[in-house]
Amino acid sequence: MNSHGPDGQQVVWAVVATDIGPLLLAATRDGLVNVVFHASDAVRGKALDRLASRLGSAPVEAPDSPLLAEAIRQVEAYFAGTRRDFDLPLDWSLISGFNRQVLRELTSGVPFGSVVGYGDLAGRVGQPGAAQAVGVAMGSNPLPVVVPCHRVVERDGGIGGFGGGLETKRKLLALEGVLPEPLF
């Protein structure tokens, strides 16, 4: 498989060091397509194989790619505390249907420093009984951090689950001022 899919789609990637560990960022000409937590060699290899399979082209490591430059800059600024919102083109091709609808609502309707319950988010997309389905959508989010699934919590005040691990979710919520910084 080459670096371009059947329609000439190029997929580029880079790893960015953050306060929550290395993040793999991948982009196409349409925008940021994937963010992967804990991007160790093993995790990175699986993620890149999955991207190649889903997008039809082998991702190419290209940390200086113009397709990634702005995403890298904004992710670094977010973790430095100088950026509250991401303003990036997003390639939603890895997610569809209800999950995409929920993630788009999350992106546009739950700002930095706030949280929303799973059920409340379900209601916002016209499916008030679909709290569990919202949880599935959060777990399948291909763009965590940028599409802020860490801002979705349980109705009773519990933190809820998180694909990047609960400690990662706590750190992201602390960065946004929702939770206190861990003492150690």
Side-chain angles (χ1 to χ4, degrees):
M1 190 177 298
N2 64 24
S3 64
H4 292 77
D7 65 352
Q9 180 79 303
Q10 182 181 22
V11 183
V12 294
W13 66 274
V15 173
V16 178
T18 73
D19 293 346
I20 59 169
L23 293 179
L24 181 144
L25 305 181
T28 68
R29 68 173 175 252
D30 294 329
L32 190 65
V33 71
N34 202 200
V35 176
V36 179
F37 289 115
H38 315 298
S40 65
D41 290 343
V43 168
R44 187 170 54 243
K46 288 179 186 175
L48 294 173
D49 288 346
R50 198 169 45 249
L51 276 172
S53 172
R54 297 280 310 273
L55 298 176
S57 64
V60 175
E61 185 174 14
D64 297 326
S65 169
L67 296 174
L68 286 170
E70 185 61 17
I72 290 169
R73 189 185 72 69
Q74 288 190 29
V75 165
E76 289 174 343
Y78 172 81
F79 282 100
T82 59
R83 174 170 279 280
R84 296 169 58 105
D85 301 303
F86 292 97
D87 183 20
L88 296 167
L90 301 177
D91 179 339
W92 292 95
S93 64
L94 295 178
I95 197 150
S96 61
F98 176 79
N99 292 355
R100 184 188 290 190
Q101 182 183 12
V102 168
L103 292 172
R104 284 182 181 264
E105 173 58 32
L106 174 64
T107 302
S108 65
V110 184
F112 181 96
S114 64
V115 294
V116 65
Y118 292 93
D120 293 334
L121 189 53
R124 289 184 186 193
V125 296
Q127 301 290 328
Q132 285 185 314
V134 167
V136 171
M138 295 306 103
S140 64
N141 179 5
L143 296 161
V145 179
V146 175
V147 175
C149 52
H150 59 277
R151 295 179 188 157
V152 183
V153 297
E154 295 174 347
R155 176 182 51 199
D156 65 3
I159 195 168
F162 195 62
L166 292 182
E167 187 58 30
T168 299
K169 186 171 187 174
R170 284 186 189 97
K171 287 179 179 179
L172 290 168
L173 291 172
L175 173 72
E176 295 191 10
V178 175
L179 292 177
E181 290 286 343
L183 295 175
F184 45 87

